Amino acid sequence: MELATATAPVTSTTRAHRARSCVSSTLAVSSDNCSFIPSSSSSSTARHFAPLTTSVSTSGPQRRRLPVASAAVELREASSQGGDSVRVTETLQPGSSVNFSVEVPPSICQQCYETTLQEYAKRFKIPGFRPGKAVPENILINYVGPKHVQDATIEAILRHTLPQALSSVEDRALEDSVRILTKFEDMANSFSLDNVFRYDVAVDVAPEVRWLSEDKYKSLKVVVEIDEIVDAEKAAETELKHRHKALGLLRIVADRGLQVGDLVVLDIFAESITSDGSKGEKIPSAESKGFHLDTEENNNLVPGFLGSLLGIRPGETRSFPLQFPESFEQESLQGVRAQFTVVCKELFYRELPELDDSLAGKLLPGCTTMDQVQERILQRCREVEKTAIEQATDNAILDQLGKLVEVDVPRALFQEQGQQLYGAKLLQLQAERKLDKDQLASLSSQKSVQDYLESERENINRIIKQMLAVGEIFKAENLQYSTEQLVKEVENSIEEFKCYNQDYDEGNIKQQVQDVLEAAKVLEWLKENCTIEYIRR
């Protein structure tokens, strides 16, 4: 279940309904906009200063403007200190996004220009002028550089007018989703203190959760399919068999061919079979040298593979055609017909000790009888079965909830959720010591993250829908969790990040933990108030 990850999915009760004022967050501009940091070639005095600090960022990928989904739905005028007004046209967009076309009158541009000059006059000591003495405008502009003054003025206009432009969605805006669509270069090229200053800005807002049923989730019915592998009795029997086999000795088979129960070492080669029956290309993913096959554990083999090898002797080669099933785990091989060539390298059988009380301590330390061994193994398997059933139930409920709602998923939520899932995946791989530093750096690149987001788009959107539905239920049913739970879980999550030397933001961790606790409460409530049917498969 997704809730078990350290970086939990976002819900509507956190990022969507606790959005900070979007005007105080970082704003993103297209990557091909010119930088606000002047280059050494743009002015002879550039090396002496930096432009005024701004909350606008030029980082991030270039953003494509979405097609207009409807006509402009609202035209507003935001007053500025009782003077002229900023004119704003609001347009709804797909993906729970809103575009704003902003028109700033010359009077406000002039105010921002004068403020910019005042700030520069305070920051720089102009040769020939005592501190505090007024510097003529033309001398100050020549000293700073006309382009820098213009760029800083544009930044000041944006800072001054964005709060007004976005005020209609302030309580619904998602954090860090504000982005200026107009290229800075275009703003600079068209800028004039005598003309209206225009720019477009977009922001993602909390999406509406639309229930497809009139009674929403009240009559939820869930069917939970339980795999045979989680059956405690069968799992205990298999576990005891594995432990018994581990105590056996391998003996070389010298006088017969392969039979079920043996362990065989194989070289496996595979080629696809074309529609006309001729040999095609090699299938590297189906090939292996020195492959160890335990013939009693053949669940993952292509149907017919083991049967085609029974009786094979060391040094013998066999070739036979098989077809990968449509349900095969590797999608590229589903339904593929292949010609296998297999070389038997070595063949062994197990010589097992008699299964009696004298073996109890070796099978399970601390036990003195076989009855104790079997009882303890069964108890462990029952615990695993219980956990597996609970997890399968949670997954089935979440899956059904996702089917009961429609959500126009915002880009900001998609990016955030996808990056959290990808980060959790990397954290797990690192915890399992499957990645070195170079591999981790490669997988952490922007390209790797974007590739993951695209390949998992459907799954990420599904999870977002589920968690937004969870958030709606948490609010509707007035569910709560304790402060002690929140504090404890936040501390545990921080310790996990520290354990693997991972950077973390305590505020983000707290929100993610809140998401997990909310989901746990909702799942608990739904289990008590919906119909659940369990089916063994």
Side-chain angles (χ1 to χ4, degrees):
M1 185 179 83
E2 291 81 1
L3 303 177
T5 61
T7 50
V10 292
T11 73
S12 59
T13 57
T14 53
R15 295 300 168 95
H17 294 294
R18 300 186 200 136
R20 300 172 187 165
S21 173
C22 60
V23 298
S24 64
S25 60
T26 301
L27 306 181
V29 185
S30 301
S31 60
D32 54 351
N33 293 352
C34 61
S35 172
F36 293 151
I37 306 299
S39 64
S40 58
S41 61
S42 59
S43 170
S44 60
T45 59
R47 64 182 181 275
H48 298 301
F49 66 93
L52 299 178
T53 302
T54 176
S55 62
V56 182
S57 168
T58 59
S59 61
Q62 181 174 348
R63 313 202 186 280
R64 293 176 56 193
R65 295 185 62 175
L66 298 172
V68 176
S70 64
V73 296
E74 184 179 356
L75 185 63
R76 297 184 291 107
E77 290 188 351
S79 62
S80 173
Q81 301 177 353
D84 291 335
S85 299
V86 175
R87 190 176 177 85
V88 182
T89 304
E90 220 175 283
T91 308
L92 299 179
Q93 298 286 343
S96 298
S97 180
V98 183
N99 278 14
F100 299 87
S101 295
V102 185
E103 297 181 0
V104 184
S107 60
I108 295 179
C109 295
Q110 183 67 37
Q111 293 174 19
C112 293
Y113 170 71
E114 292 172 358
T115 300
T116 298
L117 291 180
Q118 291 170 8
E119 290 296 325
Y120 272 132
K122 293 177 183 179
R123 291 178 57 183
F124 300 110
K125 183 177 180 181
I126 311 299
F129 292 88
R130 294 191 304 274
K133 183 175 176 60
V135 180
E137 180 177 322
N138 62 328
I139 294 178
L140 179 61
I141 292 175
N142 288 333
Y143 181 81
V144 173
K147 184 178 187 313
H148 298 309
V149 173
Q150 176 179 286
D151 289 353
T153 300
I154 293 174
E155 295 171 32
I157 294 171
L158 295 175
R159 289 197 306 273
H160 182 76
T161 60
L162 276 171
Q164 303 169 43
L166 305 179
S167 59
S168 67
V169 296
E170 183 175 358
D171 60 339
R172 298 184 294 131
L174 301 183
E175 288 184 68
D176 303 326
S177 71
V178 182
R179 51 204 182 274
I180 295 176
L181 303 176
T182 306
K183 297 177 182 179
F184 190 81
E185 181 182 2
D186 292 342
M187 288 188 273
N189 290 339
S190 62
F191 181 77
S192 170
L193 290 175
D194 297 326
N195 298 327
V196 172
F197 178 79
R198 294 179 175 84
Y199 66 91
D200 293 331
V201 60
V203 62
D204 293 337
V205 296
E208 177 189 359
V209 178
R210 298 179 294 276
W211 294 91
L212 301 178
S213 173
E214 289 186 6
D215 57 359
K216 299 181 179 179
Y217 52 88
K218 295 293 185 179
S219 58
L220 185 65
K221 295 181 180 179
V222 179
V223 176
V224 184
E225 295 185 347
I226 308 297
D227 290 331
E228 183 178 306
I229 194 172
V230 301
D231 182 277
E233 282 72 19
K234 291 183 179 180
E237 182 181 339
T238 302
E239 176 66 17
L240 179 59
K241 192 172 184 179
H242 284 167
R243 290 175 178 268
H244 188 206
K245 286 167 63 175
L247 299 177
L249 297 175
L250 290 179
R251 303 294 187 186
I252 297 175
V253 176
D255 56 352
R256 62 172 175 81
L258 176 68
Q259 62 186 31
V260 176
D262 293 341
L263 188 146
V264 62
V265 181
L266 307 169
D267 285 348
I268 304 172
F269 306 93
E271 295 177 315
S272 62
I273 300 175
T274 63
S275 57
D276 61 4
S278 60
K279 289 184 179 180
E281 298 179 348
K282 289 186 176 182
I283 309 177
S285 60
E287 297 188 335
S288 179
K289 286 192 175 183
F291 179 74
H292 288 238
L293 172 63
D294 187 336
T295 55
E296 289 185 332
E297 300 177 10
N298 53 42
N299 294 333
N300 296 326
L301 296 178
V302 178
F305 186 85
L306 179 58
S308 300
L309 293 178
L310 292 178
I312 194 172
R313 293 172 177 264
E316 183 181 348
T317 299
R318 288 191 182 179
S319 184
F320 46 88
L322 293 175
Q323 183 167 354
F324 288 89
E326 295 293 341
S327 58
F328 197 69
E329 183 177 2
Q330 186 175 336
E331 292 185 9
S332 60
L333 294 180
Q334 292 174 356
V336 172
R337 295 178 63 226
Q339 185 72 26
F340 286 89
T341 300
V342 181
V343 181
C344 179
K345 307 297 289 186
E346 297 178 272
L347 183 59
F348 304 92
Y349 71 93
R350 284 189 178 88
E351 188 177 88
L352 299 176
E354 186 176 351
L355 202 60
D356 56 25
D357 289 346
S358 65
L359 212 60
K362 294 180 180 179
L363 288 168
L364 197 61
C367 295
T368 57
T369 67
M370 286 303 301
D371 287 342
Q372 286 181 336
V373 172
Q374 292 173 335
E375 179 60 31
R376 290 190 184 182
I377 290 177
L378 181 58
Q379 182 180 354
R380 292 181 183 180
C381 289
R382 282 174 176 160
E383 292 173 358
V384 172
E385 179 186 46
K386 180 183 177 182
T387 301
I389 291 175
E390 289 177 350
Q391 187 169 351
T393 303
D394 290 346
N395 288 339
I397 291 174
L398 289 172
D399 184 62
Q400 191 64 24
L401 279 181
K403 296 176 181 178
L404 292 178
V405 297
E406 283 186 352
V407 178
D408 195 8
V409 177
R411 170 187 168 280
L413 277 186
F414 173 81
Q415 290 280 341
E416 180 184 33
Q417 178 65 75
Q419 289 170 2
Q420 288 181 2
L421 291 174
Y422 189 65
K425 179 181 178 181
L426 292 186
L427 193 64
Q428 181 180 358
L429 290 174
Q430 192 174 16
E432 296 171 352
R433 301 183 183 275
K434 292 183 178 181
L435 296 177
D436 57 32
K437 290 184 178 180
D438 292 338
Q439 289 173 322
L440 182 62
S442 176
L443 291 174
S444 300
S445 68
Q446 185 69 21
K447 183 180 184 305
S448 295
V449 175
Q450 291 303 317
D451 288 346
Y452 173 83
L453 294 181
E454 285 304 316
S455 64
E456 293 293 318
R457 179 173 293 277
E458 183 177 346
N459 182 49
I460 294 170
N461 282 330
R462 176 180 60 82
I463 292 173
I464 291 174
K465 289 172 62 178
Q466 292 172 356
M467 300 316 298
L468 289 173
V470 164
E472 291 290 306
I473 297 172
F474 186 85
K475 289 188 304 176
E477 300 301 329
N478 296 315
L479 303 177
Q480 296 180 341
Y481 51 81
S482 68
T483 303
E484 290 77 10
Q485 283 180 293
L486 176 62
V487 172
K488 182 179 179 181
E489 292 299 327
V490 168
E491 291 175 348
N492 291 341
S493 296
I494 290 176
E495 283 302 314
E496 184 174 357
F497 277 94
K498 288 181 177 178
C499 179
Y500 297 110
N501 296 318
Q502 293 287 320
D503 295 331
Y504 64 89
D505 181 284
E506 188 168 347
N508 287 340
I509 289 178
K510 183 177 180 180
Q511 282 194 324
Q512 292 163 18
V513 168
Q514 288 173 325
D515 297 339
V516 173
L517 294 176
E518 287 181 8
K521 285 295 181 182
V522 169
L523 288 169
E524 181 182 329
W525 186 89
L526 287 173
K527 288 175 185 176
E528 296 174 353
N529 292 276
C530 72
T531 303
I532 302 177
E533 179 184 359
Y534 293 94
I535 299 176
R536 291 277 181 180
R537 61 182 181 187

